[in-house]
Amino acid sequence: MTTAKGDTTLLTVEHETVSYVAGPLLVAGQMTGVGYDELVEVVSDGRVRRGRVLALEGDRAVVQVLDGTTGLSLPGTRVRTRGEVARVAVGDDLVGRILDGSGTPMDGGPPLRAVEYRDVNGAPINPVARNHPSEFIETGVSAIDGLNTLVRGQKLPIFSGFGLPAAELAAQIASDAAVPAAAEDAFVVVFAAMGVTQREAAFFRSTFAGSAALERTVLFLNTAEDPAVERLLTPRAALTVAEHLAFDRGRHVLVVLTDITNYCEALRELSAAREEIPGRRGYPGYMYTDLASLFERAGRIRGRAGSVTQLMILSMPDDDITHPIPDLTGYITEGQIVLSRELDRRGISPPIDVLPSLSRLMNAGIGAGKTREDHRAVADQLYAALARGRDLRRLVSIVGEAALSETERRYLAFADSFEQTLVNQGATRRTIEQTLELAWTLLRDLPPDDLKRIDPALVERYAGPGATVDPPTA
Amino acid sequence: MTETRAPVRGQAADVGTVHAVSGPVVTARGLPAARLYNVVLVGHARLPGEVIRLDAGDAVVQVYEDTAGLAVGEPVADTGEQLQVELGPGLLGSIFDGIQRPLTTLARRADDPVGEPMIERGASAPSLDRSRAWLFEPDVAEGDEVSAGDVLGTVQETGALGHRVLVPPGVAGAVTRVARGQVRVDEPVVWIGAEPLTLLSRWPVRLRRPIARRLALDQPLVTGQRAIDSLFPIARGGAATIPGGFGTGKTVLEQSLAKWSHADVIVYVACGERGNELTEMLDEFPTLTDPRTGSPLLERTVIIANTSNMPVAAREASIYTGITIAEYFRDQGRDVAVLADSTSRWGEALREVSSRLEEMPAEEGYPAYLSTRLAEFYERAGAVACLGGGERTGSVSIVGAVSPAGGDFSEPITQHSLRLAGTFWGLDTNLARRRHFPAIDWNRSYTLYDLDAWFDDEVAPDWHAQRAWVLQLLQQESSLLEIVQLLGADSLAPAERVVLETGRLLREDFLQQSAFDDVDAYCALPKQHQMLRVVHAAHDAMAAAVARDVPVETLAAAPVLREPARMRSWPDAEVAGNADALVERIRHDLEEL
Ligand SMILES: Nc1ncnc2c1ncn2[C@@H]1O[C@H](COP(=O)(O)OP(=O)(O)O)[C@@H](O)[C@H]1O
Ligand SMILES: [Mg+2]
């Protein structure tokens, strides 16, 4: 663990009265002078573990031990206080490095040359100082660019299910999102893996820390074998580094956090160990606030060049979007990209279900001068038509296709071709122009009079002369 | 009604010490004289907090700032005062945090308006600008006898709004001296007896401000939102609740209400939500003008912002700060709307503090007093006769968004809010997913306010009849849709299929209203009425046609029935003429079939 610069030894005090150890927690007595939320060192048999103060009462402190409590004994354990909250090294030097879940290099490279050590908790951005995100990021993915547009400074999770290709999608976005940036070196990926398996870690390492990509990546790696409570520190350390790169160094930072579900499990584990009153499904009542303290660190600041964009991967337990983890996340983030198991089974790649997906900042990032004047209307029309086509699909499964009118059949066909062509793009990259053109191709197959969401002048302009003629109906 | 005045400043401050720290909850010892709800300053950093429990020798404090680094033994100073807000000119157009710290001031460093972009711990500044001078024009003269609520004079706070300076509650007597001209908020303007009164007054946020009496709720708060005004209107002085899962449009609706409601003052309480949503308002509101006054919208708006990443206890305080400011303008005879987004986050703040106090939880971990606290908040809505001479009336309307876990309305905050609010606009996830906005579910939503008489008098005599027709038709449509889901549309009689076609027109061409459309974001009442008249005429013409055995498919494909979709972009001046012409065309074209 990186500790504060300068001489903190004067503040270092050792206490020898540990009275309780269980799970991730330890209770120490005679802890005078230690501050709430400060970092402590737990020393036992010559090994130093890191801990954080969770509560103070009189001279007793409840300490969360980040490196696990296995092997601790009451008489043999001492707690050392340093008068410091958890800090992490920040600086350009971190780019290209692989660090553990709390920011210590694990790539065998030289020690970090830190500009500064910063409190991992950061401080809330004053809403007055925020710059409203409005710069379009072309991800190359039609279902995102066309219908759920991402902008710089946004926080947008990918709601996935176990086994769905969320990591691949995140990697694709991370590699393509760099392209429209003004200068190549202005773009950095800060990647924080929390509780990932060895297999996932290998994928992320090869994607984000392969030879070329590593030059613009900071990788924080907390794997499934690492202590769960360290996971609570990992995203905070990563975001602290990202804020420095963005707001002090003017870089556009894409923070990828994965997997939020593992993070929340760690939160629940700690809460249970503290015997707190649980909220829904055993998750602590403060989970919303805790997640917000991470996600709200995305954004832009007036007068500063850089940005922090967050892309989080979240595996929905049981594919259930009402589960507390996706639910609370969706309440905080600026939309969500939802992956569908059904689409995945049908071989659609990426399996993005656009109906439950949303980008709340889309309106600010699209339109004339940004993407194209018809973008909003086209997206609205696609949504409306897809919703109708999906309803009909459900109906057909009950009453059969014969019961449909000609118009209804066209909507049914629309839903199919929407999924098969617009969404199902595989690894190809599409420009926003290509996405919108494709959208018009699909819309042309609907009755022109039904394009109620689009200004007739735009229909005229983009649907071409042929499309304004109503094809004969049966 | 409590006829109290703001408590006077406490005596010499007591100082105790920190005994325990658990997140935002701190236990202090050595403050035997502390009173419940007094403000204390905690630690060397002097973090403000409020005493929320007295237990033997312990004063339990909820701290309005991050307590990281706070150690046992640090000092805790009792200010002897309750949590108060500063009231006076300068509120309008400002943005404060949950305990009324001025966020614009906190962001400033020297010449740079955003030189301090992060909110640092322990930062503080007076809520109202002490350096700005206001032109005070007195309405009283020496020797006048005045009592609480009387107007002492006026300050033209914004282009649109004269700020009435009132005799504070609990004060009465003869005016002994009057100042006029340019004054700062903390300079005396009028003396009553020996007591100098300034433009600035204070009021404890948890105490409602006194009124003369409550008035009946018989006028609507016009919002310009069709689904609201035409179907489920809210009364001026009433309360509405907007529950909805994430992404269903609560915030967009609250912001639309902030922009377009017929209110003199808007108090927008952003409670535990996103920072960017405020930035958007701060960018947009100065550029929009209030159509009724011609002034920038920001000039009638006070924003209380405690975003989700700001300290949780201050989030709990934020709705009281907001409602107290609203009451202050109400007392001047203004119509005020308090828009709270989201009350669930306030409830969660309450829950978090309660759980740190190890209180026995009731439903879903919320404290048993949740419903009482919510009631105390909603009960501060009302239309009132104000204290003081001059027959002033004012109102505070409350619209509270609710963010139910999992979008499930059976959870405690939704349920308690439903009992307290007279209007329920339930937002539906399925409507939102198909981008039907506002996603107000017409099958579940309701209003308990009977405002038909007002609409009949003020807009059109058949308003109530038309409203009843729409509600009944939508009801009928949804029962028919259930049948269609099982058996297909073929199973319906032609007359029933006309109901479905009409339902589609109502939903797509009337109920849907984009908040981002320059023309359609606000829809005047006469236009709402005309739009419905067109749909009603289309219904009647279709019904007549199917009676002549015209197939429903032919009707549905009639080009003239695509025209109602363009009604939303009609300019107000042309609405009546366009509607007459369209009704005529619909009748004519459908008769031809
Ligand atoms: N009246 C509306 N008109 C157009 N779009 C809307 C409207 N209401 C909501 N939306 C869309 O829905 C999204 C989510 O709305 P929001 O108010 O942020 O949801 P909530 O606050 O309930 O989570 C918005 O970003 C916008 O795209
Ligand atoms: Mg919202």
Side-chain angles (χ1 to χ4, degrees):
Chain A
M1 177 65 200
T2 47
T3 50
K5 64 181 165 188
D7 187 2
T8 54
T9 45
L10 284 180
L11 287 166
T12 305
V13 186
E14 282 196 5
H15 311 269
E16 298 202 13
T17 44
V18 174
S19 60
Y20 172 96
V21 185
L25 298 183
L26 162 162
V27 177
Q30 294 172 8
M31 295 277 287
T32 47
V34 63
Y36 172 74
D37 201 35
E38 279 181 6
L39 213 62
V40 296
E41 288 173 352
V42 178
V43 188
S44 167
D45 300 328
R47 184 176 157 204
V48 180
R49 311 175 203 224
R50 298 148 309 153
R52 240 171 121 175
V53 176
L54 291 183
L56 291 169
E57 187 176 353
D59 69 349
R60 278 173 6 118
V62 180
V63 173
Q64 158 199 351
V65 185
L66 299 181
D67 307 296
T69 47
T70 312
L72 291 184
S73 68
L74 296 186
T77 305
R78 286 161 300 141
V79 177
R80 215 185 267 161
T81 58
R82 322 199 53 139
E84 277 289 355
V85 294
R87 284 171 192 269
V88 65
V90 300
D92 285 336
D93 192 45
L94 273 80
V95 179
R97 301 299 301 270
I98 301 176
L99 313 163
D100 72 6
S102 46
T104 311
M106 53 179 290
D107 53 4
L112 297 175
R113 278 175 297 136
V115 173
E116 207 184 310
Y117 290 86
R118 288 212 180 147
D119 177 355
V120 296
N121 293 312
I125 303 178
N126 187 328
V128 168
R130 281 184 187 267
N131 204 348
H132 196 252
S134 60
E135 255 175 71
F136 171 59
I137 299 180
E138 192 177 80
T139 66
V141 180
S142 291
I144 297 177
D145 294 349
L147 290 116
N148 298 289
T149 319
L150 177 67
V151 298
R152 267 193 214 304
Q154 184 168 10
K155 41 188 179 286
L156 192 67
I158 300 172
F159 285 4
S160 179
F162 297 103
L164 294 178
E168 289 75 4
L169 182 61
Q172 189 176 345
I173 295 171
S175 71
D176 283 345
V179 179
E184 183 70 11
D185 67 348
F187 181 75
V188 189
V189 176
V190 173
F191 189 94
M194 299 167 275
V196 296
T197 61
Q198 287 304 332
R199 190 188 54 78
E200 290 167 319
F203 172 81
F204 293 128
R205 272 181 118 124
S206 65
T207 315
F208 292 99
S211 49
L214 184 59
E215 284 165 32
R216 53 178 180 110
T217 305
V218 188
L219 191 60
F220 287 83
L221 217 49
N222 165 286
T223 65
E225 288 144 40
D226 293 329
V229 281
E230 188 190 66
R231 255 156 245 170
L232 304 179
L233 202 60
T234 307
R236 293 183 165 80
L239 285 162
T240 305
V241 170
E243 280 171 351
H244 168 78
L245 292 170
F247 304 134
D248 298 332
R249 310 294 303 156
R251 302 174 84 158
H252 293 294
V253 187
L254 178 70
V255 180
V256 181
L257 303 175
T258 184
D259 189 314
I260 298 301
T261 301
N262 297 341
Y263 174 86
C264 291
E265 297 303 344
L267 206 60
R268 176 164 73 170
E269 193 179 319
L270 181 66
S271 173
R274 298 188 64 190
E275 298 177 359
E276 291 172 337
I277 299 160
R280 262 177 92 223
R281 302 212 205 169
Y283 294 92
Y286 49 79
M287 192 156 86
Y288 173 86
T289 303
D290 187 279
L291 289 174
S293 74
L294 303 180
F295 300 159
E296 275 290 310
R297 292 174 80 172
R300 307 204 59 169
I301 290 179
R302 278 160 62 195
R304 316 263 170 132
S307 60
V308 174
T309 308
Q310 282 185 30
L311 203 63
M312 318 73 150
I313 297 176
L314 186 158
S315 302
M316 297 185 283
D318 275 339
D319 291 351
D320 176 8
I321 198 169
T322 68
H323 183 281
I325 298 173
D327 188 52
L328 294 179
T329 299
Y331 273 118
I332 303 164
T333 53
E334 283 145 348
Q336 65 278 341
I337 301 296
V338 182
L339 301 190
S340 146
R341 194 166 300 281
E342 201 235 342
L343 291 180
D344 187 56
R345 263 194 216 116
R346 284 174 28 215
I348 291 181
S349 157
I352 298 175
D353 186 357
V354 301
L355 288 188
S357 299
L358 168 71
S359 164
R360 296 166 190 266
L361 299 182
M362 176 167 177
N363 287 329
I366 65 170
K370 289 178 172 164
T371 56
R372 223 169 71 177
E373 54 174 346
D374 57 329
H375 194 159
R376 177 77 260 166
V378 165
D380 286 346
Q381 191 69 61
L382 289 173
Y383 270 116
L386 178 65
R388 187 152 172 207
R390 287 262 183 92
D391 283 350
L392 290 166
R393 197 183 276 164
R394 211 169 309 130
L395 184 62
V396 163
S397 68
I398 301 165
V399 299
E401 198 164 336
L404 298 191
S405 71
E406 165 61 22
T407 307
E408 287 173 330
R409 262 181 226 142
R410 284 162 80 171
Y411 277 96
L412 196 61
F414 172 88
D416 288 338
S417 45
F418 177 89
E419 289 162 1
Q420 292 298 342
T421 60
L422 193 121
V423 179
N424 188 21
Q425 68 185 92
T428 47
R429 174 173 210 292
R430 294 198 192 120
T431 65
I432 182 65
E433 287 285 332
Q434 288 170 326
T435 293
L436 289 173
E437 282 316 314
L438 190 55
W440 276 109
T441 316
L442 297 172
L443 291 176
R444 264 181 225 124
D445 289 337
L446 295 176
D449 278 340
D450 273 14
L451 303 184
K452 286 185 179 183
R453 307 274 187 137
I454 312 180
D455 186 327
L458 291 175
V459 178
E460 187 75 35
R461 193 166 314 150
Y462 291 99
T468 50
V469 180
D470 199 354
T473 40
Chain B
M1 194 65 29
T2 16
E3 273 291 339
T4 39
R5 58 179 310 185
V8 275
R9 284 169 176 278
Q11 295 80 21
D14 282 330
V15 179
T17 53
V18 172
H19 170 68
V21 187
S22 170
V25 174
V26 168
T27 306
R29 291 209 165 146
L31 287 173
R35 290 165 186 268
L36 205 58
Y37 292 120
N38 271 11
V39 171
V40 294
L41 299 171
V42 178
H44 300 302
R46 296 175 71 77
L47 310 175
E50 210 179 1
V51 177
I52 53 170
R53 176 192 280 178
L54 293 169
D55 181 0
D58 291 350
V60 181
V61 177
Q62 64 174 1
V63 181
Y64 293 125
E65 294 216 46
D66 186 1
T67 51
L70 184 67
V72 170
E74 289 194 40
V76 179
D78 182 1
T79 64
E81 286 179 1
Q82 294 184 17
L83 185 66
Q84 301 182 41
V85 281
E86 291 194 352
L87 302 166
L91 287 169
L92 295 175
S94 294
I95 174 166
F96 302 103
D97 78 353
I99 51 170
Q100 214 201 6
R101 282 182 297 196
L103 289 172
T104 312
T105 313
L106 296 187
R108 195 178 298 135
R109 185 166 60 195
D111 287 342
D112 184 354
V114 289
E116 208 64 74
M118 308 293 190
I119 304 176
E120 299 300 339
R121 241 156 43 102
S124 78
S127 307
L128 294 182
D129 188 349
R130 297 294 193 271
S131 62
R132 181 158 173 196
W134 303 89
L135 181 64
F136 175 70
E137 294 174 80
D139 285 338
V140 289
E142 280 171 30
D144 288 356
E145 285 290 332
V146 294
S147 61
D150 287 344
V151 179
L152 293 172
T154 312
V155 166
Q156 198 63 36
E157 182 173 4
T158 68
L161 202 78
H163 193 115
R164 297 185 180 129
V165 182
L166 306 180
V167 179
V171 177
V175 174
T176 52
R177 201 176 139 197
V178 179
R180 60 176 68 235
Q182 298 286 335
V183 285
R184 288 190 277 268
V185 289
D186 54 356
E187 291 172 340
V189 285
V190 173
W191 284 254
I192 293 176
E195 187 172 355
L197 298 176
T198 57
L199 298 182
L200 181 145
S201 60
R202 290 191 174 79
W203 191 264
V205 297
R206 297 187 191 273
L207 191 66
R208 58 176 155 174
R209 289 173 60 89
I211 55 168
R213 62 179 191 284
R214 281 184 179 265
L215 302 175
L217 305 183
D218 51 14
Q219 291 183 30
L221 176 73
V222 176
T223 66
Q225 310 303 303
R226 288 188 290 271
I228 293 177
D229 295 339
S230 286
L231 267 57
F232 312 110
I234 173 181
R236 206 171 255 193
T241 177
I242 319 178
F246 62 81
T248 53
K250 298 178 295 297
T251 303
V252 171
L253 188 54
E254 291 274 22
Q255 292 188 352
S256 293
L257 298 177
K259 288 176 195 165
W260 310 120
S261 292
H262 291 200
D264 301 312
V265 174
I266 299 289
V267 178
Y268 195 95
V269 186
C271 178
E273 295 283 313
R274 302 177 186 85
N276 276 331
E277 292 172 346
L278 291 159
T279 313
E280 194 180 7
M281 283 181 79
L282 292 174
D283 286 348
E284 199 181 4
F285 275 43
T287 68
L288 295 173
T289 47
D290 180 352
R292 298 179 316 131
T293 61
S295 307
L297 272 181
L298 195 63
E299 290 190 357
R300 68 164 196 178
T301 311
V302 185
I303 301 177
I304 311 297
N306 222 87
T307 55
S308 56
N309 56 338
M310 284 156 74
V312 72
R315 193 194 295 169
E316 194 271 331
S318 66
I319 68 165
Y320 300 103
T321 298
I323 197 100
T324 306
I325 291 173
E327 288 176 342
Y328 172 70
F329 283 105
R330 172 204 67 192
D331 292 346
Q332 296 175 38
R334 305 299 179 192
D335 291 313
V336 189
V338 175
L339 308 172
D341 182 19
S342 154
T343 58
S344 294
R345 305 303 167 218
W346 165 84
E348 284 163 14
L350 206 64
R351 175 169 71 184
E352 180 168 345
V353 171
S354 161
S355 104
R356 303 254 186 197
L357 295 176
E358 295 176 2
E359 289 172 337
M360 180 71 116
E363 294 159 283
E364 300 197 9
Y366 289 104
Y369 48 79
L370 173 72
S371 64
T372 323
R373 292 286 174 86
L374 258 180
E376 280 165 7
F377 171 62
Y378 276 106
E379 284 300 301
R380 288 173 77 168
V384 307
C386 308
L387 283 184
E391 301 284 302
R392 283 189 319 272
T393 61
S395 65
V396 172
S397 312
I398 296 181
V399 179
V402 182
S403 316
D408 177 358
F409 290 1
S410 65
E411 60 88 42
I413 302 215
T414 311
Q415 287 304 312
H416 292 309
S417 303
L418 277 177
R419 278 198 292 109
L420 298 165
T423 305
F424 165 47
W425 301 320
L427 302 187
D428 181 69
T429 304
N430 280 322
L431 288 176
R433 286 188 177 174
R434 50 179 57 226
R435 272 51 178 180
H436 173 113
F437 289 119
I440 296 177
D441 179 351
W442 49 88
N443 289 318
R444 296 178 84 172
S445 301
Y446 60 78
T447 183
L448 301 178
Y449 303 111
D450 186 0
L451 303 162
D452 280 343
W454 185 93
F455 284 104
D456 284 358
D457 289 348
E458 302 289 326
V459 192
D462 65 339
W463 180 282
H464 74 278
Q466 204 157 270
R467 174 167 181 261
W469 174 76
V470 173
L471 290 172
Q472 165 268 328
L473 192 125
L474 287 170
Q475 186 103 65
Q476 214 181 338
E477 187 206 21
S478 49
S479 353
L480 292 175
L481 282 176
E482 277 172 28
I483 300 177
V484 171
Q485 284 300 313
L486 293 174
L487 304 168
D490 283 348
S491 59
L492 299 184
E496 291 171 329
R497 296 190 56 190
V498 167
V499 171
L500 293 191
E501 290 303 322
T502 313
R504 190 197 299 287
L505 290 178
L506 275 176
R507 284 183 284 114
E508 294 182 357
D509 302 341
F510 181 78
L511 291 176
Q512 287 183 17
Q513 185 175 2
S514 170
F516 308 111
D517 184 299
D518 288 340
V519 179
D520 204 32
Y522 171 84
C523 187
L525 295 180
K527 182 170 172 181
Q528 299 189 24
H529 178 256
Q530 293 288 359
M531 288 173 79
L532 275 186
R533 187 168 74 97
V534 170
V535 177
H536 201 161
H539 170 267
D540 293 351
M542 283 191 283
V546 295
R548 296 195 312 273
D549 289 334
V550 180
V552 179
E553 286 77 12
T554 316
L555 285 174
V560 74
L561 291 182
R562 299 292 177 273
E563 288 188 45
R566 313 285 176 214
M567 296 190 292
R568 51 168 55 93
S569 49
W570 289 349
D572 279 329
E574 294 165 23
V575 165
N578 286 351
D580 287 347
L582 182 53
V583 166
E584 203 41 54
R585 269 202 307 286
I586 290 173
R587 283 192 187 130
H588 174 266
D589 286 16
L590 295 194
E591 261 165 36
E592 297 278 279
L593 294 170

